[in-house]
Amino acid sequence: MKADEAARASAPSKAERLAKAREKELQENVAVGFAADAVNKGEGGGAIGAGKSLKATSKRKPVKESKSEGSGFTLPSFSSESAAKKKVILSPADDLDDDEKSMARPNQPLLFLLFATPVSIYLSFYVLGSINVI
């Protein structure tokens, strides 16, 4: 019990840990900047090296600054790429119900039934009458 309390008392507070993390991050950003300058000049990578280890150590992405002249107001671009990425949701509530559809619309199964029913009744009586069942 006392060992746990002593360990907790000697542990750094959250504010101290955050301050250390900020310092470490600043040092990494400075080192990354020096390494990038050295790579661009062709001098080698310095202490960090060039390439993959640079990407693995930095967690933040650089902010791209827009170099626009004028008031600084830009309109959004409406391109076909953004339209292709959007997911289209089809709602069944948007479809018309059967009672909302026109009665004059073509109904092929009913048309077939209207023509086939009298023919089938006639043929059934013709066949049954010819074999003396009726």
Side-chain angles (χ1 to χ4, degrees), residues 16-37:
E16 293 171 350
R17 288 181 297 176
L18 289 175
K20 286 182 183 179
R22 284 187 197 127
E23 289 175 15
K24 183 178 179 183
E25 188 174 313
L26 288 174
Q27 290 174 354
E28 286 179 0
N29 286 341
V30 170
V32 168
F34 285 134
D37 289 341

Side-chain angles (χ1 to χ4, degrees), residues 28-115:
E28 286 179 0
N29 286 341
V30 170
V32 168
F34 285 134
D37 289 341
V39 169
N40 290 338
K41 292 179 184 176
E43 297 175 356
I48 292 180
K52 296 179 183 175
S53 62
L54 258 177
K55 292 179 183 176
T57 57
S58 66
K59 293 182 181 178
R60 289 190 176 181
K61 295 180 181 178
V63 178
K64 294 181 180 179
E65 295 180 11
S66 62
K67 296 179 181 178
S68 61
E69 296 178 8
S71 64
F73 178 74
T74 58
L75 294 174
S77 63
F78 298 104
S79 63
S80 62
E81 294 175 11
S82 64
K85 293 180 184 178
K86 290 184 181 178
K87 183 177 180 182
V88 178
I89 299 172
L90 299 175
S91 174
D94 295 336
D95 295 338
L96 291 175
D97 293 334
D98 288 334
D99 61 339
E100 296 173 335
K101 293 180 182 177
S102 172
M103 292 298 290
R105 70 184 186 279
N107 191 351
Q108 292 180 350
L110 182 62
L111 182 65
F112 176 76
L113 188 65
L114 284 175
F115 283 114

